[in-house]
Amino acid sequence: MPRFKRSSTAGPFDYSRKPLLRIVFILGTVFLYAPIIVLIIFSFNNSRRGGNIIWKGFTTKYYTKAFGNEELMLAFANSLTIAVVSTIISVILGALTAIVLWRFRFPLKPMFEGLVSLPIVIPEICMGVSLAMFFSTMGWMQTGDTAWPFNLSNIIIAHITFSFPFAAMVIRTRLQSFNREMEEAAKDLGASEFRVFVDILLPHMKPGLIAGALLAFTLSLDDFVITFFTSGPNTVTFPVKIYSMVRFSVTPEINAASTVLIIMTLLLTFIALRYQRIDTTP
Amino acid sequence: MQDIRNRLGVFFAFSGPTLLWLILFFVVPLGIIWLYSFGENVSLTRIETTWTLDNYRRMLEPEIIELMRRSLWLAFVSTLVCLLVGFPMALVIATASHGAKPWLLLLIMLPFWTNLLIRTYALLNILGTRGRLNDLLGWLYERADQLLHLIGLGRLGLLGDQFTPLKLLGTQTGVIYGIVYVSLPFAILPIYSSLERMDKSLLEASMDLGASQWQTARHVLIPLALPGIMTAAIITFIPALGQFLTPDLLGRGQVDMIANVIERQFKRANDWPFGSAISLTLLYVTFILLALRSFNDAARSRRVAR
């Protein structure tokens, strides 16, 4: 049976089929991707100094060099540790916040909601500076004699503060699709409040919790400004280390290390998508 | 939705940790820099809050006024470029086929997930005087020159004697390029979601009533997408205004923005009270912008309700 193909005739509002708009879209995408692709290509550049200017042949030695750089690897281990710990606490705090906002009606709720979303909107630099002042006023600034991983606690606190509101938002969106009849049915059948929470609400929240966790993890790995202010001389994270390397000189080693992080982020994004499933019906 | 009156215990068990956390690690730190902004350095490490207004008075010094003006200008131009480029891109995604839409969105979001520092660092290779952008422009120059020779206009020297690479690092253009680069996805998403929600039959009605494509775009499409465009403008402008990395790495100390001066007060100049005062000023500007937006939203919904 011949099918009526509507898509083959472009209507006046099929903007995605207009050549000019398509060109803008393609150029915009090239604009977004070109620097990252160039960075990855130049991480294989066999050039000692100023490795970013001229292509001098293929090599993987800068990967070996990056992985052999102890300070860089320690910074990377710090970043991962901070990301894991802050993600766990962020998800717990985020879930509690989401449940409060979804479940309860209480006086000053708009204020509570505003307070929770403030860390999302205020400029990073203000948050970095205020936390740095807070830690130094409290005498919590790391001096270097605290044992690993406790010397990372300031950075972890800072990371939780800016990432749990994001996690709360994601989890709250998930909660909105919860069917309250399920809960009532369970209660009618004699389930306690706690059982309802563990057996019904929590499984329903799970995709939201995972999405929130991945978001918190990425935010933590990504952060530079706030970490820059709250880190001590001996608590360097991956972005802070890269920053000081960039300030010192541009080497292919930075490109190699960056490429490793980009690929990690890509993998995380794909895991996130597998859990969330790309939504075709918004 | 549950009333809390008979469930106070449960309510506090859920809301307590969040409140405690935010007060201790968010409100108190902001309070500390608020106090410091009225303080003076009494010794190298001690600051006393004397309720002096000197730190705020220093905000009126010509350099700081110039800094504020420059930061607002750079953030404004970057936001404008983001909207001008972001709108057509969002339009393409919003009207793409059902199968393509999520992939196009992913395409835009993917760079956004990449580390901000790495993305800014990657631009160093693109924007340098011997960087890739100048390579591209030089190549285009050669081709255009060849073409002119081919059609016999080569002698006129329309393109100048030779290609002069653009200086982008250390200039305002370079910083704007960088801010647009890191915030374009921010601008696209809200515009996309407002276009996505739009009732397409309104566009058809406009055309049926005899409006041209352009008139429809101007009088129907853009006004309908305006809430999304406003949101995009605000969430691009606020981070752009507080940008630290872009002016730091791409501006090479020539194009400082507010955040760079704040950083200097804390990391090098050791003038915490003044740094606090600048930070709070930036914070107040942010609040004013957010208030303007919610005021705008409220006015809009009142108009709709009427």
Side-chain angles (χ1 to χ4, degrees), chain A residues 53-225:
Chain A
I53 294 169
I54 305 154
W55 178 258
K56 288 199 172 148
F58 180 88
T59 179
T60 51
K61 71 176 173 201
Y62 290 104
Y63 283 88
T64 326
K65 209 176 160 198
F67 280 109
N69 184 336
E70 260 176 51
E71 282 180 36
L72 192 64
M73 285 300 111
L74 176 67
F76 194 62
N78 281 345
S79 273
L80 284 180
T81 313
I82 293 164
V84 169
V85 179
S86 75
T87 298
I88 294 169
I89 303 177
S90 291
V91 169
I92 296 170
L93 270 180
L96 291 176
T97 313
I99 291 173
V100 169
L101 287 171
W102 165 73
R103 185 86 193 240
F104 296 103
R105 199 187 311 120
F106 52 94
L108 299 181
K109 187 172 175 179
M111 265 191 77
F112 182 81
E113 211 172 339
L115 184 65
V116 170
S117 56
L118 260 188
I120 296 177
V121 296
I122 81 163
E124 272 190 309
I125 187 99
C126 297
M127 209 158 143
V129 164
S130 66
L131 278 165
M133 290 302 100
F134 172 75
F135 291 134
S136 87
T137 311
M138 305 292 276
W140 288 2
M141 224 45 194
Q142 301 304 332
T143 46
D145 7 291
T146 327
W148 193 90
F150 298 102
N151 57 3
L152 302 175
S153 54
N154 285 354
I155 306 176
I156 292 173
I157 288 171
H159 283 206
I160 294 166
T161 311
F162 68 73
S163 44
F164 93 84
F166 282 97
M169 271 183 11
V170 174
I171 298 166
R172 192 185 177 190
T173 314
R174 174 69 195 169
L175 276 171
Q176 264 145 12
S177 66
F178 181 69
N179 185 358
R180 294 300 284 271
E181 283 163 17
M182 296 261 280
E183 185 187 344
E184 273 147 36
K187 276 190 190 154
D188 285 346
L189 294 169
S192 69
E193 192 85 22
F194 181 71
R195 277 253 75 90
V196 171
F197 180 75
V198 172
D199 289 343
I200 298 177
L201 194 60
L202 221 47
H204 178 84
M205 283 169 75
K206 201 176 147 197
L209 296 175
I210 293 171
L214 286 161
L215 184 59
F217 195 83
T218 330
L219 285 172
S220 170
L221 272 189
D222 191 49
D223 182 73
F224 168 74
V225 173

Side-chain angles (χ1 to χ4, degrees), chain B residues 15-298:
Chain B
S15 65
T18 306
L19 266 180
L20 208 67
W21 190 280
L22 281 177
I23 288 170
L24 189 57
F25 298 124
F26 186 72
V27 179
V28 169
L30 284 178
I32 289 175
I33 62 165
W34 186 77
L35 285 177
Y36 277 3
S37 77
F38 297 103
E40 281 169 68
N41 271 324
V42 284
S43 72
L44 207 58
T45 51
R46 262 191 61 230
I47 294 168
E48 210 164 279
T49 308
T50 52
W51 302 105
T52 168
L53 288 173
D54 274 354
N55 301 309
Y56 288 98
R57 216 167 279 139
R58 278 178 67 191
M59 298 290 303
L60 298 174
E61 282 172 12
E63 304 126 70
I64 304 293
I65 299 254
E66 168 59 22
L67 170 80
M68 286 290 175
R69 205 194 53 78
R70 188 196 304 129
S71 305
L72 287 167
W73 170 247
L74 291 176
F76 171 76
V77 176
S78 312
T79 307
L80 201 65
V81 176
C82 279
L83 295 181
L84 287 175
V85 179
F87 186 80
M89 290 183 80
L91 197 56
V92 168
I93 305 175
T95 54
S97 71
H98 259 307
K101 206 175 279 183
W103 294 106
L104 293 179
L105 269 179
L106 180 65
L107 197 66
I108 299 303
M109 286 304 290
L110 218 47
F112 185 63
W113 289 98
T114 311
N115 192 294
L116 181 73
L117 172 67
I118 292 177
R119 274 186 294 157
T120 311
Y121 164 69
L123 282 182
L124 284 175
N125 190 343
I126 303 290
L127 298 179
T129 318
R130 290 164 73 193
R132 302 291 83 77
L133 189 65
N134 272 318
D135 284 356
L136 179 71
L137 292 174
W139 184 82
L140 286 175
Y141 173 85
E142 294 287 322
R143 295 292 89 75
D145 202 42
Q146 277 173 2
L147 193 72
L148 282 179
H149 274 284
L150 209 66
I151 57 171
L153 294 172
R155 235 144 329 137
L156 299 175
L158 291 174
L159 295 170
D161 284 341
Q162 56 173 25
F163 175 68
T164 33
L166 292 178
K167 189 175 180 290
L168 292 164
L169 293 179
T171 67
Q172 296 207 350
T173 320
V175 174
I176 291 171
Y177 191 104
I179 299 179
V180 172
Y181 180 62
V182 295
S183 37
L184 187 59
F186 263 133
I188 294 177
L189 289 179
I191 302 178
Y192 161 77
S193 66
S194 74
L195 287 170
E196 176 66 43
R197 278 196 305 265
M198 189 171 57
D199 184 358
K200 305 268 188 320
S201 59
L202 289 171
L203 298 179
E204 277 154 28
S206 156
M207 291 287 274
D208 287 347
L209 292 169
S212 69
Q213 273 279 326
W214 171 244
Q215 282 174 321
T216 305
R218 231 198 87 162
H219 296 291
V220 184
L221 182 68
I222 293 176
L224 282 175
L226 207 59
I229 298 175
M230 289 294 286
T231 310
I234 297 273
I235 67 168
T236 311
F237 190 84
I238 292 175
L241 191 63
Q243 267 291 339
F244 169 74
L245 270 175
T246 322
D248 187 66
L249 290 178
L250 306 179
R252 304 237 147 134
Q254 313 288 311
V255 196
D256 277 345
M257 288 175 73
I258 303 173
N260 306 95
V261 176
I262 296 177
E263 186 251 5
R264 216 167 301 138
Q265 303 310 318
F266 284 97
K267 293 251 171 182
R268 270 163 279 173
N270 231 358
D271 193 347
W272 294 0
F274 186 45
S276 302
I278 313 176
S279 305
L280 280 165
T281 310
L282 178 62
L283 199 62
Y284 296 146
V285 174
T286 310
F287 285 153
I288 292 170
L289 288 169
L290 288 172
L292 279 178
R293 191 186 67 152
S294 45
F295 186 71
N296 187 39
D297 284 353

Side-chain angles (χ1 to χ4, degrees), chain A residues 4 12 31 41 51 65-66 79 101 113-114 120 124 146 150 162 178 226 230 243 246 253 255-256 264 266 269:
Chain A
F4 180 58
F31 169 74
I41 293 173
K65 209 176 160 198
S79 273
L101 287 171
E113 211 172 339
I120 296 177
E124 272 190 309
T146 327
F150 298 102
F162 68 73
F178 181 69
I226 296 171
T230 47
Y243 178 79
V246 174
E253 200 182 337
N255 294 355
M264 268 191 59
L266 276 181
T269 313

Side-chain angles (χ1 to χ4, degrees), chain A residues 29-41, chain B residues 122 126 177 181:
Chain A
T29 313
V30 171
F31 169 74
L32 287 176
Y33 280 87
I36 299 173
I37 292 167
V38 168
L39 173 98
I40 295 175
I41 293 173
Chain B
I126 303 290
Y177 191 104
Y181 180 62

